[in-house]
Amino acid sequence: MLDYEGLIKESWLLTKKDLGTWIAATILGLFGSIFLITIGPLAYGYNHMVVKSLRSENVRVKDIFEGFKLRNFFGSWIVIIVSTLPYLLIALISSLLAYIVVFPFVYTMPLLVLRKCGGIAACKESARIAISRPVETILITILYGFFVNIGFLALLIGALITIPFAEIFLTGVVFDLTGEERTNGTSIDENTFLNENSPYDNFSE
């Protein structure tokens, strides 16, 4: 059975140990992935950093470019295509369906307040306006969604910490499930963070 507590503690300690490096690499990975061709290699490089961290090797920001080496580039893209294409297709279909459903009712709540009418009447009126002015309604819906969601962008700062933490945790689980050893030959067990001779002692405050 996996030692979830130990894995979580290890993930946090390793994240905290190289926090500046992880933040810089995460920013680089997020912005770099804007370009479709770089998604796979950057994902490979980020996980390369995670494996190095779990093996107690020095982690450097430039390690994120490991995926651009020819032997890693194509493999990383095969993984991205196989693992994300079904998700992207489902997400696209879901987004289109959600938009079709929401589109006619974008004006419903303001109409409910302004007209002081019933909910069904407000929905009908909103749908009538949306159908009669589809171009304007599409634009309004897009702008409204942008204005609502832009405030949540500040919360992405937290992702600069949670992303490396989550990746270290997941890869640590893979280490344990596959029996892969760290360089020092240790693996997580229930005494890892209790043993005074633990190899992770140097990560603690």
Side-chain angles (χ1 to χ4, degrees), residues 82-145:
V82 172
S83 62
T84 63
L85 187 58
Y87 167 79
L88 292 175
L89 290 175
I90 293 173
L92 177 60
I93 294 172
S94 299
S95 297
L96 290 174
L97 290 175
Y99 183 78
I100 291 172
V101 171
V102 171
F103 169 77
F105 307 112
V106 66
Y107 306 117
T108 302
M109 190 57 68
L111 286 169
L112 184 66
V113 176
L114 289 171
R115 299 288 175 81
K116 299 186 183 303
C117 57
I120 299 299
C123 289
K124 288 181 177 180
E125 178 68 9
S126 177
R128 186 191 65 77
I129 296 172
I131 293 171
S132 64
R133 310 192 70 165
V135 176
E136 290 92 337
T137 301
I138 290 173
L139 179 60
I140 291 299
T141 303
I142 293 173
L143 288 174
Y144 175 74

Side-chain angles (χ1 to χ4, degrees), residues 34-47:
I34 293 174
F35 305 101
L36 188 64
I37 193 67
T38 62
I39 295 175
L42 287 174
Y44 181 99
Y46 200 89
N47 281 272

Side-chain angles (χ1 to χ4, degrees), residues 63 69 90 111 147 170-171 189:
D63 291 329
K69 293 182 178 179
I90 293 173
L111 286 169
F147 294 145
L170 178 62
T171 306
D189 57 41

Side-chain angles (χ1 to χ4, degrees), residues 18-188:
D18 296 301
L19 185 58
T21 301
W22 286 121
I23 289 176
T26 303
I27 292 173
L28 186 60
L30 290 174
F31 281 97
S33 295
I34 293 174
F35 305 101
L36 188 64
I37 193 67
T38 62
I39 295 175
L42 287 174
Y44 181 99
Y46 200 89
N47 281 272
H48 173 70
M49 294 176 65
V50 170
V51 170
K52 288 184 66 176
S53 180
L54 284 162
R55 286 177 169 166
S56 301
E57 300 176 20
N58 292 328
V59 178
R60 298 167 296 180
V61 176
K62 70 177 184 179
D63 291 329
I64 199 171
F65 298 109
E66 185 73 14
F68 289 94
K69 293 182 178 179
L70 189 61
R71 67 178 182 272
N72 303 325
F73 185 88
F74 294 105
S76 67
W77 256 107
I78 290 173
V79 170
I80 289 295
I81 291 172
V82 172
S83 62
T84 63
L85 187 58
Y87 167 79
L88 292 175
L89 290 175
I90 293 173
L92 177 60
I93 294 172
S94 299
S95 297
L96 290 174
L97 290 175
Y99 183 78
I100 291 172
V101 171
V102 171
F103 169 77
F105 307 112
V106 66
Y107 306 117
T108 302
M109 190 57 68
L111 286 169
L112 184 66
V113 176
L114 289 171
R115 299 288 175 81
K116 299 186 183 303
C117 57
I120 299 299
C123 289
K124 288 181 177 180
E125 178 68 9
S126 177
R128 186 191 65 77
I129 296 172
I131 293 171
S132 64
R133 310 192 70 165
V135 176
E136 290 92 337
T137 301
I138 290 173
L139 179 60
I140 291 299
T141 303
I142 293 173
L143 288 174
Y144 175 74
F146 173 76
F147 294 145
V148 168
N149 289 290
I150 194 171
F152 293 105
L153 293 178
L155 299 177
L156 292 178
I157 294 175
L160 300 180
I161 298 174
T162 58
I163 289 175
F165 171 82
E167 291 294 336
I168 293 172
F169 173 77
L170 178 62
T171 306
V173 170
V174 174
F175 265 90
D176 285 2
L177 291 178
T178 60
E180 186 77 24
E181 292 185 345
R182 275 79 163 163
T183 301
N184 57 17
T186 62
S187 59
I188 297 297

